[in-house]
DNA sequence: CCGTATCCGAACCGATACTG
DNA sequence: CAGTATCGGTTCGGATACGG
């Protein structure tokens, strides 16, 4: 019975090079998860993406796609046509995100109700 | 051969009540994931958490814990002692987060190298 | 010991207008 | 069609000082 108390957490509990703090590609970007989902079925054009991503502005969509491209999750292909056509697609690396994303989505499906209930309960207990 | 082109994405591709956009509990909070990890082994005191979460300020830690408490992922227990002692622990709901978190951590372990390489390559191609 | 109050700067997001 | 430029609002995190 020497282990009734958990060991204290060391200062280097998280290694300096451990950026699991937040998924880099999905970052804190509001739209990144949904963009990945939209590209799951194949390449999409810029304006085509704006339909399901209701409310996104061109600026934010362009910014998001650019940052995902920097991270190697998305490829941008420009066709020399007129009017111009640009397609975005997931790279193999981008596709590897689908696994963890599915895990999170399943978590939401199973536990979101409890979470929302907890919020209401907290609010109720406040007063 | 009628299906060579993927179907266009409908405007209601994402249901209005689908908050998978971002994991509610972990939100966009910078520290939430790490806090869950710190609590995985059992209850921890406020000041005890500040050790592994090197650099976090009291304000941000308190805010983060409060929001996770609101979402029902964490319980706060205050002991009427002097000096005061407060302990934080994962709730059963909070523990369900460990599954998806593991999936994401494994992704990082396997693919973070590729991602960092892609960033460097992108930067190099810029010039 | 366990926070809160206040102020500040950075990051992100959105609206609008304009361009190759 | 596929963006960029500019501006403004909000949200978040960090620093510092103080309170129960």
């Amino acid at each position: 019975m020497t282990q009734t108390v958990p060991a204290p957490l060391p200062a280097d509990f998280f290694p300096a090079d451990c950026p699991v703090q937040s998924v880099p590609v999905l970052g804190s970007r509001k739209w990144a998860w949904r963009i990945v989902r939209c590209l799951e079925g194949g390449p999409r054009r810029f304006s085509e993406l704006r339909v399901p991503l209701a409310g996104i502005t061109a600026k934010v969509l362009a910014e998001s796609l650019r940052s995902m491209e920097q991270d190697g999750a998305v490829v941008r292909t420009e066709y020399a046509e007129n009017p111009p056509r640009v397609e975005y697609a997931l790279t193999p690396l981008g596709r590897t995100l689908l696994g963890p994303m599915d895990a999170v989505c399943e978590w939401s499906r199973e536990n979101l109700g409890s979470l929302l209930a907890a919020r209401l309960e907290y609010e109720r207990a406040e007063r």
Coordinates of all heavy atoms in Angstrom, one line a residue, chain C residues 3-19:
Chain C
dG3 P -9.7 27.8 -7.3 OP1 -11.1 28.2 -7.3 OP2 -9.4 26.4 -7.5 O5' -8.9 28.7 -8.3 C5' -9.6 29.7 -9.0 C4' -9.7 31.0 -8.1 O4' -8.4 31.3 -7.5 C3' -10.1 32.2 -8.8 O3' -11.5 32.3 -8.9 C2' -9.5 33.3 -7.9 C1' -8.4 32.6 -7.2 N9 -7.0 33.2 -7.4 C8 -5.9 32.5 -7.9 N7 -4.9 33.3 -8.0 C5 -5.3 34.5 -7.6 C6 -4.6 35.8 -7.5 O6 -3.4 36.0 -7.8 N1 -5.4 36.8 -7.1 C2 -6.8 36.7 -6.8 N2 -7.4 37.8 -6.4 N3 -7.4 35.5 -6.8 C4 -6.7 34.5 -7.2
dT4 P -12.1 33.0 -10.1 OP1 -13.5 32.6 -10.2 OP2 -11.2 32.8 -11.2 O5' -12.1 34.6 -9.8 C5' -12.7 35.1 -8.6 C4' -12.4 36.6 -8.5 O4' -11.0 36.8 -8.4 C3' -12.9 37.4 -9.8 O3' -13.5 38.6 -9.3 C2' -11.6 37.6 -10.5 C1' -10.6 37.7 -9.4 N1 -9.2 37.3 -9.7 C2 -8.2 38.2 -9.6 O2 -8.4 39.4 -9.3 N3 -6.9 37.8 -10.0 C4 -6.6 36.5 -10.4 O4 -5.4 36.2 -10.7 C5 -7.7 35.6 -10.5 C7 -7.5 34.2 -10.9 C6 -8.9 36.0 -10.1
dA5 P -14.1 39.6 -10.3 OP1 -15.4 40.1 -9.6 OP2 -14.2 38.9 -11.6 O5' -13.1 40.8 -10.5 C5' -12.2 41.2 -9.5 C4' -11.6 42.5 -9.9 O4' -10.2 42.3 -10.2 C3' -12.2 43.2 -11.1 O3' -12.1 44.6 -11.0 C2' -11.4 42.6 -12.3 C1' -10.0 42.5 -11.6 N9 -9.2 41.3 -12.1 C8 -9.7 40.1 -12.3 N7 -8.8 39.2 -12.7 C5 -7.6 40.0 -12.8 C6 -6.3 39.7 -13.2 N6 -5.9 38.5 -13.6 N1 -5.4 40.7 -13.1 C2 -5.8 41.9 -12.7 N3 -7.0 42.3 -12.4 C4 -7.9 41.3 -12.4
dT6 P -12.8 45.6 -12.1 OP1 -13.2 46.8 -11.3 OP2 -13.7 44.8 -12.9 O5' -11.5 46.0 -13.0 C5' -10.2 46.2 -12.4 C4' -9.2 46.4 -13.5 O4' -8.5 45.1 -13.7 C3' -9.6 46.9 -14.8 O3' -9.0 48.1 -15.1 C2' -9.2 45.8 -15.8 C1' -8.1 45.1 -15.0 N1 -7.9 43.7 -15.4 C2 -6.6 43.2 -15.7 O2 -5.6 43.9 -15.6 N3 -6.5 41.9 -16.0 C4 -7.6 41.0 -16.1 O4 -7.4 39.8 -16.4 C5 -8.9 41.5 -15.8 C7 -10.1 40.7 -15.9 C6 -9.0 42.8 -15.5
dC7 P -9.4 49.0 -16.4 OP1 -9.3 50.4 -16.0 OP2 -10.6 48.4 -17.1 O5' -8.1 48.7 -17.3 C5' -6.8 48.8 -16.8 C4' -5.8 48.1 -17.7 O4' -5.9 46.7 -17.7 C3' -6.0 48.6 -19.2 O3' -4.8 49.1 -19.7 C2' -6.3 47.3 -19.9 C1' -5.7 46.2 -19.0 N1 -6.3 44.9 -19.1 C2 -5.5 43.7 -19.3 O2 -4.3 43.9 -19.3 N3 -6.1 42.5 -19.4 C4 -7.5 42.4 -19.3 N4 -8.0 41.2 -19.4 C5 -8.3 43.6 -19.1 C6 -7.7 44.8 -19.0
dC8 P -4.7 49.8 -21.2 OP1 -3.9 51.0 -21.1 OP2 -6.1 49.9 -21.7 O5' -4.0 48.7 -22.0 C5' -2.7 48.1 -21.5 C4' -2.4 46.9 -22.3 O4' -3.3 45.8 -22.0 C3' -2.5 47.1 -23.8 O3' -1.2 47.1 -24.4 C2' -3.4 45.9 -24.3 C1' -3.4 45.0 -23.1 N1 -4.7 44.3 -23.0 C2 -4.8 42.9 -23.1 O2 -3.7 42.3 -23.3 N3 -6.0 42.2 -23.0 C4 -7.1 42.9 -22.7 N4 -8.2 42.2 -22.6 C5 -7.1 44.3 -22.6 C6 -5.9 45.0 -22.7
dG9 P -1.1 47.5 -26.0 OP1 0.1 48.3 -26.1 OP2 -2.4 48.1 -26.5 O5' -0.9 46.1 -26.7 C5' 0.1 45.2 -26.2 C4' -0.1 43.9 -26.9 O4' -1.3 43.3 -26.4 C3' -0.1 44.0 -28.4 O3' 0.7 43.0 -29.0 C2' -1.6 43.7 -28.7 C1' -2.1 42.9 -27.6 N9 -3.5 43.1 -27.2 C8 -4.1 44.3 -27.0 N7 -5.4 44.1 -26.7 C5 -5.6 42.7 -26.6 C6 -6.7 42.0 -26.4 O6 -7.8 42.4 -26.0 N1 -6.5 40.6 -26.4 C2 -5.3 40.0 -26.8 N2 -5.2 38.7 -26.8 N3 -4.2 40.7 -27.0 C4 -4.4 42.1 -27.0
dA10 P 0.9 42.8 -30.6 OP1 2.3 42.8 -30.8 OP2 0.0 43.8 -31.2 O5' 0.3 41.4 -30.9 C5' 0.5 40.3 -29.9 C4' -0.4 39.1 -30.3 O4' -1.7 39.3 -29.9 C3' -0.4 38.9 -31.9 O3' -0.2 37.5 -32.1 C2' -1.8 39.4 -32.2 C1' -2.6 39.2 -31.0 N9 -3.7 40.2 -30.7 C8 -3.6 41.5 -30.8 N7 -4.7 42.1 -30.5 C5 -5.6 41.1 -30.2 C6 -7.0 41.1 -29.8 N6 -7.7 42.2 -29.7 N1 -7.5 39.9 -29.6 C2 -6.8 38.8 -29.8 N3 -5.5 38.7 -30.1 C4 -5.0 39.9 -30.3
dA11 P -0.4 37.0 -33.7 OP1 0.6 36.0 -33.8 OP2 -0.4 38.2 -34.6 O5' -1.8 36.3 -33.7 C5' -2.2 35.5 -32.7 C4' -3.6 35.0 -32.9 O4' -4.5 36.0 -32.6 C3' -3.8 34.6 -34.4 O3' -4.5 33.3 -34.4 C2' -4.7 35.7 -34.9 C1' -5.5 36.2 -33.6 N9 -5.8 37.6 -33.6 C8 -5.0 38.7 -33.9 N7 -5.6 39.8 -33.7 C5 -6.9 39.5 -33.3 C6 -8.0 40.3 -32.9 N6 -8.0 41.6 -32.9 N1 -9.1 39.7 -32.5 C2 -9.1 38.3 -32.5 N3 -8.1 37.5 -32.8 C4 -7.0 38.1 -33.2
dC12 P -4.7 32.6 -35.8 OP1 -4.6 31.2 -35.6 OP2 -4.0 33.3 -36.9 O5' -6.3 32.9 -36.1 C5' -7.1 32.7 -34.9 C4' -8.5 33.3 -35.2 O4' -8.5 34.7 -35.0 C3' -9.1 33.0 -36.5 O3' -10.2 32.3 -36.4 C2' -9.3 34.4 -37.1 C1' -9.4 35.3 -35.9 N1 -9.0 36.7 -36.1 C2 -9.9 37.7 -35.7 O2 -11.0 37.4 -35.3 N3 -9.6 39.0 -35.9 C4 -8.4 39.3 -36.4 N4 -8.1 40.6 -36.5 C5 -7.4 38.3 -36.8 C6 -7.8 37.0 -36.6
dC13 P -10.9 31.6 -37.7 OP1 -11.4 30.3 -37.2 OP2 -10.1 31.7 -38.8 O5' -12.2 32.6 -37.9 C5' -13.0 33.0 -36.8 C4' -13.9 34.2 -37.2 O4' -13.1 35.4 -37.2 C3' -14.5 34.0 -38.6 O3' -15.9 34.0 -38.4 C2' -14.0 35.2 -39.4 C1' -13.6 36.2 -38.3 N1 -12.5 37.1 -38.7 C2 -12.7 38.5 -38.5 O2 -13.8 38.9 -38.1 N3 -11.7 39.3 -38.8 C4 -10.5 38.8 -39.3 N4 -9.5 39.7 -39.6 C5 -10.3 37.4 -39.5 C6 -11.3 36.6 -39.1
dG14 P -16.9 33.7 -39.7 OP1 -18.1 33.0 -39.2 OP2 -16.1 33.2 -40.8 O5' -17.4 35.2 -40.1 C5' -17.9 36.1 -39.1 C4' -18.2 37.4 -39.7 O4' -16.9 38.1 -39.8 C3' -18.8 37.4 -41.1 O3' -20.0 38.2 -41.1 C2' -17.7 38.1 -42.0 C1' -16.9 38.9 -41.0 N9 -15.5 39.0 -41.4 C8 -14.6 38.0 -41.6 N7 -13.4 38.4 -41.9 C5 -13.5 39.8 -41.8 C6 -12.5 40.8 -42.0 O6 -11.3 40.7 -42.3 N1 -13.1 42.1 -41.8 C2 -14.4 42.4 -41.4 N2 -14.7 43.6 -41.3 N3 -15.3 41.4 -41.3 C4 -14.8 40.2 -41.5
dA15 P -20.8 38.4 -42.4 OP1 -22.2 38.4 -42.0 OP2 -20.3 37.5 -43.5 O5' -20.4 39.9 -42.9 C5' -20.6 41.0 -42.0 C4' -20.4 42.3 -42.7 O4' -18.9 42.5 -42.8 C3' -21.0 42.3 -44.1 O3' -21.6 43.6 -44.3 C2' -19.8 42.1 -45.0 C1' -18.6 42.7 -44.2 N9 -17.4 42.0 -44.5 C8 -17.2 40.6 -44.5 N7 -15.9 40.3 -44.8 C5 -15.3 41.5 -44.9 C6 -13.9 41.8 -45.1 N6 -13.0 40.9 -45.3 N1 -13.6 43.1 -45.2 C2 -14.5 44.0 -45.0 N3 -15.8 43.9 -44.7 C4 -16.1 42.5 -44.7
dT16 P -22.3 43.9 -45.7 OP1 -23.4 44.8 -45.3 OP2 -22.5 42.7 -46.4 O5' -21.2 44.8 -46.5 C5' -20.5 45.8 -45.9 C4' -19.4 46.3 -46.8 O4' -18.3 45.4 -46.7 C3' -19.8 46.4 -48.3 O3' -19.8 47.7 -48.7 C2' -18.9 45.4 -49.0 C1' -17.7 45.4 -48.0 N1 -16.9 44.1 -48.1 C2 -15.5 44.2 -48.3 O2 -15.0 45.3 -48.3 N3 -14.9 43.0 -48.3 C4 -15.5 41.8 -48.3 O4 -14.8 40.8 -48.3 C5 -16.9 41.7 -48.1 C7 -17.6 40.4 -48.0 C6 -17.5 42.9 -48.0
dA17 P -20.2 48.1 -50.3 OP1 -20.8 49.4 -50.2 OP2 -20.9 46.9 -50.9 O5' -18.8 48.2 -51.0 C5' -17.7 49.0 -50.4 C4' -16.4 48.7 -51.1 O4' -15.9 47.4 -50.8 C3' -16.6 48.8 -52.7 O3' -15.6 49.7 -53.2 C2' -16.4 47.4 -53.1 C1' -15.5 46.8 -52.0 N9 -15.6 45.4 -51.9 C8 -16.7 44.6 -51.7 N7 -16.4 43.3 -51.6 C5 -15.1 43.2 -51.8 C6 -14.2 42.1 -51.8 N6 -14.6 40.9 -51.7 N1 -12.9 42.4 -52.0 C2 -12.5 43.7 -52.2 N3 -13.2 44.8 -52.2 C4 -14.5 44.5 -52.0
dC18 P -15.7 50.0 -54.8 OP1 -15.4 51.5 -55.0 OP2 -17.0 49.5 -55.4 O5' -14.5 49.2 -55.4 C5' -13.2 49.3 -54.8 C4' -12.3 48.1 -55.3 O4' -12.8 46.9 -54.8 C3' -12.2 48.0 -56.8 O3' -10.9 48.0 -57.3 C2' -12.9 46.6 -57.1 C1' -12.6 45.9 -55.8 N1 -13.6 44.8 -55.5 C2 -13.1 43.4 -55.5 O2 -11.9 43.2 -55.7 N3 -13.9 42.4 -55.2 C4 -15.2 42.7 -55.0 N4 -16.0 41.6 -54.8 C5 -15.7 44.0 -55.1 C6 -14.9 45.0 -55.3
dT19 P -10.5 48.0 -58.9 OP1 -9.5 49.1 -59.0 OP2 -11.8 48.1 -59.6 O5' -9.9 46.6 -59.1 C5' -8.7 46.2 -58.5 C4' -8.3 44.8 -58.9 O4' -9.3 43.9 -58.5 C3' -8.2 44.7 -60.4 O3' -7.0 44.0 -60.7 C2' -9.4 43.8 -60.8 C1' -9.5 43.0 -59.5 N1 -10.9 42.4 -59.3 C2 -11.0 41.1 -59.1 O2 -10.1 40.3 -59.2 N3 -12.3 40.6 -58.9 C4 -13.4 41.4 -58.8 O4 -14.5 40.9 -58.6 C5 -13.2 42.8 -58.9 C7 -14.4 43.7 -58.8 C6 -12.0 43.3 -59.2

